[in-house]
Amino acid sequence: QVQLVESGGGLVQTGGSMRLSCAASGRTEWGYGMGWFRQAPGKEREFVASISWTGAGTRYADSVKGRFTISRDNAKNTLYLQMNSLKPEDTAVYYCAAGNYYPGPGANEYPFWGQGTQVTVSS
């Protein structure tokens, strides 16, 4: 089992930056890949980015490519999402999730989820 706790959300203006963190605890030695998803009000949860266990592989949704960067520090059991050039349409609850060695965009690849952190981008 892996427990995940997100932090770093809040309110930011359009064009601003924010970094989300996700602290993992429990059986973190099992080589989990990890990902970020988001869910806006009235919309389905959508994939944002994922990263392999080693950090060598990353995937991004087209909507965030070039603006967001996913990274991880396995020594600290922490996942990050650096978000730059934020837009109002990035407003959502952001979730981190743990899955197989190098998970893709499917939510069903991730058995472990955090509670989410709210990100609001004002126009």
Side-chain angles (χ1 to χ4, degrees):
Q1 294 293 321
V2 176
Q3 293 78 45
L4 304 170
V5 179
E6 303 94 338
S7 61
L11 176 65
V12 65
Q13 291 186 331
T14 296
S17 297
M18 182 177 287
R19 189 176 81 158
L20 304 182
S21 299
C22 173
S25 60
R27 300 300 298 270
T28 56
E29 73 278 11
W30 283 4
Y32 292 108
M34 299 190 75
W36 288 98
F37 286 74
R38 66 186 182 185
Q39 188 167 18
K43 294 190 176 181
E44 302 266 325
R45 188 172 299 192
E46 65 174 359
F47 170 78
V48 174
S50 66
I51 188 167
S52 65
W53 164 244
T54 63
T58 57
R59 294 188 175 100
Y60 294 93
D62 288 343
S63 58
V64 306
K65 204 172 292 183
R67 299 188 298 122
F68 291 11
T69 302
I70 188 170
S71 62
R72 65 189 299 164
D73 185 337
N74 287 348
K76 296 182 179 179
N77 291 327
T78 303
L79 174 72
Y80 303 101
L81 184 69
Q82 177 66 43
M83 305 185 292
N84 298 328
S85 302
L86 282 160
K87 306 174 182 180
E89 52 264 43
D90 294 318
T91 295
V93 177
Y94 283 71
Y95 299 89
C96 73
N100 60 40
Y101 182 84
Y102 187 14
N108 59 2
E109 299 180 58
Y110 301 80
F112 306 110
W113 291 82
Q115 293 298 308
T117 185
Q118 176 71 46
V119 172
T120 302
V121 184
S122 64
S123 57

